[in-house]
Amino acid sequence: MDPDKLTKVYAEFALDVFRQGFLDNQYVQLQQLQDESEPQFVLQTATLFLEDSEKLLNELCGILDDKEVDFEKLVARVRKLTDSSASIGARRVKNVCMDFLNCCEKVSKEGCVDCLKQVREEYLLVKRKLESLFKLEKQILAVGGSLPAWLQ
Amino acid sequence: ASPPASSGLLPLLSPSCGFRCVEPMEEVEKIEEGNNDGTLEGVAAVRVLVVDDSPVDRRMVEGLLKKSGAMFQVTSVDSGKKAMEVLGLSEDKTKSPVVGDQKVDIILTDYCMPEMTGYDLLKAVKIIRLFSKTKSSCVCACVCVQIRCRAIGAEDFIIKPLQTNDVLRLRSYARTGPPSSSPKAGTKRKMTIELMAESGGGGGGSERRRPRLTGLAMA
């Protein structure tokens, strides 16, 4: 495929990802930390986020499966997920995590189970978006194209 | 005149209300003033110990601190316990924290961590260094956290996720104590963040323009 065309597809896709709130300006900050000395910074950090989130989601599931839900444990993990999603710019995940924290405060197991479902859904959505972005980047570079600059 | 470099604590508030504490550790050696053009000649790197059990946040902070060029020398650990080891505090000691002859200028720690919170870590560090440091001022963003942090001499608060202007503040805490309104020449510098470098071969001529991702809203 024509490199310029690919780059255009990428740019449009990225803009759409931002417009829909899957990623926010924090992700742009991440891009700006990538350079010759850290050429894979964004990919590495995003991969860390995806792995860490899977782990946390599984732990959350486990905690909610218990007869006696340990809400303290729950809160600690949701906080971690809130922080890491904020760090990477996964805004929608962060927002549902904040809702989750509210549910924890109300000490409602049902509410929390619902929240976890939402968090998992948003996580899977942003995961797909990130994977698509990286796939497109790879394709562009493979055909000798150049990636657009991420501007604020 | 602003007070000499003191051991202040800068908690970082997480958006979910946890916070980080940053403590400038030791009086730093006399610093030569930098040039007005913002270069860092003759200025020693600030040694930062990052403590965070979240691998994502650790990576982010590392990236941010490293991006500022030669300003920071970063060590990161994933627990308060490991931080104590790095600081040489895991056994009962009343000496200043040193790692061999390497000192740490700032501890940047998350608050919400299992086993040992950031608050616990800083309390431990504070107690051990009880005789060595002066008092520090306190600036807070959240009332509930303020009281706790005042008790251990909080300096300032930074909300997660860390941003580039927070990085500048960190540096000023290590050098001259709390940032003053009229900084010395060379201690305050504008940090320019370069946009991601154009990657890939791109054999085309210089006339070919890259498409720009415009219209991205600021978070």
Side-chain angles (χ1 to χ4, degrees), chain A residues 72-135:
Chain A
E72 235 181 78
K73 258 190 182 171
L74 207 64
V75 166
R77 275 149 190 80
V78 179
R79 275 223 180 102
K80 282 291 137 184
L81 192 54
T82 312
D83 289 354
S84 59
S85 53
S87 285
I88 200 152
R91 175 181 282 183
R92 281 165 64 146
V93 175
K94 184 194 91 178
N95 288 343
V96 290
C97 282
M98 305 279 276
D99 293 339
F100 199 153
L101 283 171
N102 288 334
C103 267
C104 292
E105 266 174 39
K106 295 181 187 137
V107 196
S108 150
K109 179 173 176 172
E110 247 176 55
C112 286
V113 168
D114 229 15
C115 282
L116 176 58
K117 186 163 167 276
Q118 284 183 50
V119 172
R120 194 181 278 280
E121 276 170 14
E122 285 299 337
Y123 160 73
L124 288 170
L125 286 170
V126 80
K127 181 180 179 193
R128 270 218 298 275
K129 299 296 177 186
L130 285 167
E131 285 171 347
S132 300
L133 281 170
F134 293 130
K135 190 173 175 194

Side-chain angles (χ1 to χ4, degrees), chain A residues 4 7 11 15 25-26 30-32 35 38 44 49 79-80 83 87 91 101 144 146 148 150-152, chain B residues 14 16 53 56-57 59-60 67 110 112 160 163 193 195-196 198 200 202 208 211 213-214 216 218-219:
Chain A
D4 283 342
T7 306
L15 263 173
N25 192 56
Q26 187 62 23
L30 227 80
Q31 299 289 333
Q32 294 171 345
D35 59 21
E38 294 271 12
Q44 283 172 357
F49 167 71
R79 275 223 180 102
K80 282 291 137 184
D83 289 354
S87 285
R91 175 181 282 183
L101 283 171
S146 49
W150 289 74
L151 294 177
Q152 294 199 16
Chain B
S14 129
S16 54
D53 64 327
V56 181
D57 291 359
R59 193 78 182 87
M60 273 300 292
K67 186 67 183 182
D110 189 16
C112 294
K160 273 185 168 187
Q163 303 289 307
I193 302 291
L195 295 171
M196 184 175 86
E198 181 171 347
R208 192 185 1 158
L213 293 169
T214 54
L216 297 177
M218 292 279 283

Side-chain angles (χ1 to χ4, degrees), chain B:
Chain B
S2 47
S6 55
S7 61
L9 299 169
L10 294 93
L12 294 176
L13 278 178
S14 129
S16 54
C17 245
F19 66 88
R20 288 173 166 224
C21 298
V22 176
E23 171 168 324
M25 292 290 298
E26 298 286 335
E27 294 237 344
V28 293
E29 17 341 328
K30 189 158 192 281
I31 306 299
E32 289 160 25
E33 289 185 346
N35 302 328
N36 286 334
D37 64 9
T39 58
L40 289 159
E41 290 164 17
V43 177
V46 175
R47 290 150 303 196
V48 184
L49 174 63
V50 178
V51 190
D52 200 323
D53 64 327
S54 162
V56 181
D57 291 359
R58 254 191 338 265
R59 193 78 182 87
M60 273 300 292
V61 174
E62 276 172 18
L64 257 171
L65 295 177
K66 281 174 183 169
K67 186 67 183 182
S68 61
M71 275 207 243
F72 297 99
Q73 198 180 298
V74 186
T75 305
S76 59
V77 294
D78 65 2
S79 69
K81 188 176 172 204
K82 289 205 185 129
M84 297 285 278
E85 286 168 16
V86 167
L87 296 167
L89 295 174
S90 44
E91 277 143 46
D92 220 29
K93 277 184 189 172
T94 50
K95 293 182 219 161
S96 294
V98 290
V99 184
D101 44 9
Q102 229 198 345
K103 296 177 190 177
V104 170
D105 298 309
I106 295 181
I107 302 173
L108 181 59
T109 172
D110 189 16
Y111 177 73
C112 294
M113 293 188 292
E115 289 168 21
M116 190 179 207
T117 65
Y119 181 80
D120 294 332
L121 172 63
L122 286 156
K123 241 190 342 181
V125 168
K126 262 280 189 229
I127 286 166
I128 286 161
R129 293 172 59 243
L130 201 57
F131 300 106
S132 57
K133 287 301 153 196
T134 58
K135 289 295 170 197
S136 47
S137 58
C138 171
V139 176
C140 286
C142 169
V143 174
C144 60
V145 163
Q146 180 171 14
I147 297 161
R148 287 205 92 189
C149 289
R150 273 196 182 278
I152 51 172
E155 192 73 58
D156 198 354
F157 286 80
I158 307 175
I159 297 175
K160 273 185 168 187
L162 205 73
Q163 303 289 307
T164 41
N165 46 351
D166 298 323
V167 172
L168 295 172
R169 268 156 84 192
L170 281 184
R171 185 167 177 81
S172 64
Y173 274 109
R175 294 299 175 212
T176 59
S180 56
S181 50
S182 50
K184 290 185 277 195
T187 54
K188 192 171 189 174
R189 67 195 84 251
K190 187 171 183 234
M191 176 187 289
T192 54
I193 302 291
E194 287 151 18
L195 295 171
M196 184 175 86
E198 181 171 347
S199 34
S206 53
E207 293 80 39
R208 192 185 1 158
R209 280 190 287 150
R210 287 182 298 162
R212 302 271 160 173
L213 293 169
T214 54
L216 297 177
M218 292 279 283

Side-chain angles (χ1 to χ4, degrees), chain A residues 38-54:
Chain A
E38 294 271 12
Q40 297 290 309
F41 185 77
V42 182
L43 180 62
Q44 283 172 357
T45 312
T47 307
L48 271 172
F49 167 71
L50 293 175
E51 289 169 354
D52 192 49
S53 302
E54 295 269 3

